[in-house]
Amino acid sequence: MRLNAAALGFLFAACSSSPAIVPTPGAIGFDGSLDGWRRDSTGGGGPAASWEACADATAISRPNVMALVATNHTSDDRFNPFWNPALAFRDGRIGIAVRADRGEVDQGGGPMWRVRDADNYYVGRYNPLASHYRLYVVREGVRRQLATAIVEAEPHGWHRLEGEHVGGHIRCWFDGRLELEADDATI
């Protein structure tokens, strides 16, 4: 299957990127019900992407990870968030582990926070095809970059991405290294 630029062609788990690191206290896995989780579309109408909980023996959150299995569209300007409104916070820190599995134009993905809906949120997004980690705010479906960093990492390995937002100050870590920092009070 060919994934396009709008595809979040990755898997994510609720824990860490290295077998030497234990799962984060309070981590949420994808082993039970997915009630409350939303499959949405940013930047376009039509069907939402298909996400599935899949077994993955390499993930720290074994047995399951969440996988984007089909974008269900061909737009290069569309993004496919998977989120849960019950996990909302104003000030706090969120982390996920991601692994890019496929995608020819884009393989980006990462944690979202201060999510109001599919068109209003912050995201720390890693794209191994371009070797960058970026912080964006999405407002009314339009994505604006707040910070960027070049990261050299195994493109198809598990990586821990974390975002912290306190007041208007944002910090983001990649595999435990502080890589991004910005101030923004859009949301």
Side-chain angles (χ1 to χ4, degrees), residues 4 6 39-51 68 70-75 78-81:
N4 60 40
R39 296 151 178 88
D40 273 318
S41 174
T42 300
S50 296
W51 292 84
L68 180 124
T71 58
N72 301 327
H73 60 80
T74 58
S75 172
R78 202 158 147 206
F79 304 96
N80 306 294

Side-chain angles (χ1 to χ4, degrees), residues 1-2 55 75 78 90 94-95 98 107 110 114 134 141 143 150 164 167-168 181:
M1 170 196 331
R2 180 175 188 269
S75 172
R78 202 158 147 206
R90 174 169 167 66
I94 187 169
V98 299
Q107 295 179 352
R114 289 196 181 176
R134 292 185 170 164
R143 185 175 72 175
I150 300 299
E164 178 183 75
E181 209 160 350

Side-chain angles (χ1 to χ4, degrees), residues 51-90:
W51 292 84
E52 292 180 9
C54 302
D56 189 318
T58 68
I60 289 180
S61 62
R62 290 183 290 276
N64 292 334
V65 297
M66 184 53 55
L68 180 124
V69 295
T71 58
N72 301 327
H73 60 80
T74 58
S75 172
D76 286 348
D77 298 321
R78 202 158 147 206
F79 304 96
N80 306 294
F82 182 81
W83 63 288
N84 188 329
L87 302 177
F89 67 87
R90 174 169 167 66

